[in-house]
Amino acid sequence: MAENKFLKRVVACIPVTTPQWDGMSDQADGHVFYKQGVEYANKQEWRKAVIMYNRALKLQRHVLGKNHIDCAQTLNDIGVALTHLGESYGAMTSLQEALWIRQVVLGDGHPCVVQTTCDLWKLLDQEREREQGAIQKQGESSLELSIVIPSTTPALRRSSQKAENARSA
């Protein structure tokens, strides 16, 4: 959760335009930022990719509209990057919005809809594995306790009775 808040603050602090992009249209800026996000993602620099994708998405929504197919692609890529960062809630939100846009615009059978559905499935599977690992780890801890307590109980009873008898005498 702390990383998610950090990313929101970082993205909010980044200006939408920078001097090197002056003179280009907002649509071109969105495309440039998106391509930079792809480059960072290819290098597995997920935080930087998320920042560039968010900048691109902001411009895409402004120029193309909230439910444009390019916005859906960017949202899908944000979801994938956030999945790699372990930001499950943000990833789920982005992927669900991307899926909704793609289903409305392209229809259920389109390959892009399948792609987003697969990305959602990977995220859910990752979360399931994470939960199973936590449950298994928790089970191992309780198993250790159950092994330790019964094996020492008779000896502890005898020694604690002797100690109590010595104190009362």
Side-chain angles (χ1 to χ4, degrees):
M1 288 299 269
E3 289 178 2
N4 194 16
K5 290 179 183 175
F6 170 77
L7 285 174
K8 286 180 181 177
R9 278 188 254 135
V10 168
V11 171
C13 294
I14 298 173
V16 174
T17 58
T18 57
Q20 71 187 52
W21 310 124
D22 284 347
M24 299 176 86
S25 71
D26 284 345
Q27 188 172 4
D29 283 350
H31 183 73
V32 169
F33 290 137
Y34 177 80
K35 288 295 183 185
Q36 286 178 335
V38 170
E39 288 175 19
Y40 284 127
N42 288 338
K43 294 188 264 183
Q44 296 184 355
E45 295 180 28
W46 302 112
R47 288 189 194 289
K48 291 179 181 178
V50 168
I51 291 168
M52 289 298 117
Y53 288 145
N54 275 314
R55 292 172 85 178
L57 182 62
K58 186 174 182 177
L59 290 170
Q60 288 171 342
R61 284 181 167 168
H62 174 73
V63 173
L64 304 171
K66 193 173 183 179
N67 297 328
H68 193 275
I69 197 68
D70 288 350
C71 295
Q73 179 62 47
T74 304
L75 283 162
N76 192 85
D77 292 339
I78 289 170
V80 169
L82 289 173
T83 299
H84 285 284
L85 289 171
E87 296 284 341
S88 302
Y89 181 77
M92 181 70 70
T93 303
S94 295
L95 290 169
Q96 286 176 335
E97 187 175 350
L99 181 62
W100 183 82
I101 294 169
R102 285 178 164 182
Q103 285 176 323
V104 168
V105 175
L106 302 172
D108 287 333
H110 195 275
C112 290
V113 173
V114 174
Q115 175 195 4
T116 303
T117 305
C118 287
D119 291 337
L120 268 167
W121 182 87
K122 289 175 191 174
L123 172 63
L124 293 171
D125 189 52
Q126 177 181 319
E127 283 303 300
R128 182 188 53 81
E129 287 177 10
R130 197 177 287 162
E131 286 178 11
Q132 282 181 343
I135 291 170
Q136 185 178 16
K137 197 174 201 178
Q138 191 176 35
E140 290 171 1
S141 297
S142 64
L143 179 63
E144 290 172 11
L145 290 175
S146 66
I147 292 170
V148 171
I149 292 172
S151 65
T152 59
T153 302
L156 284 175
R157 283 185 194 154
R158 279 185 240 132
S159 65
S160 65
Q161 286 174 351
K162 287 179 185 178
E164 285 181 34
N165 290 339
R167 285 185 204 149
S168 63

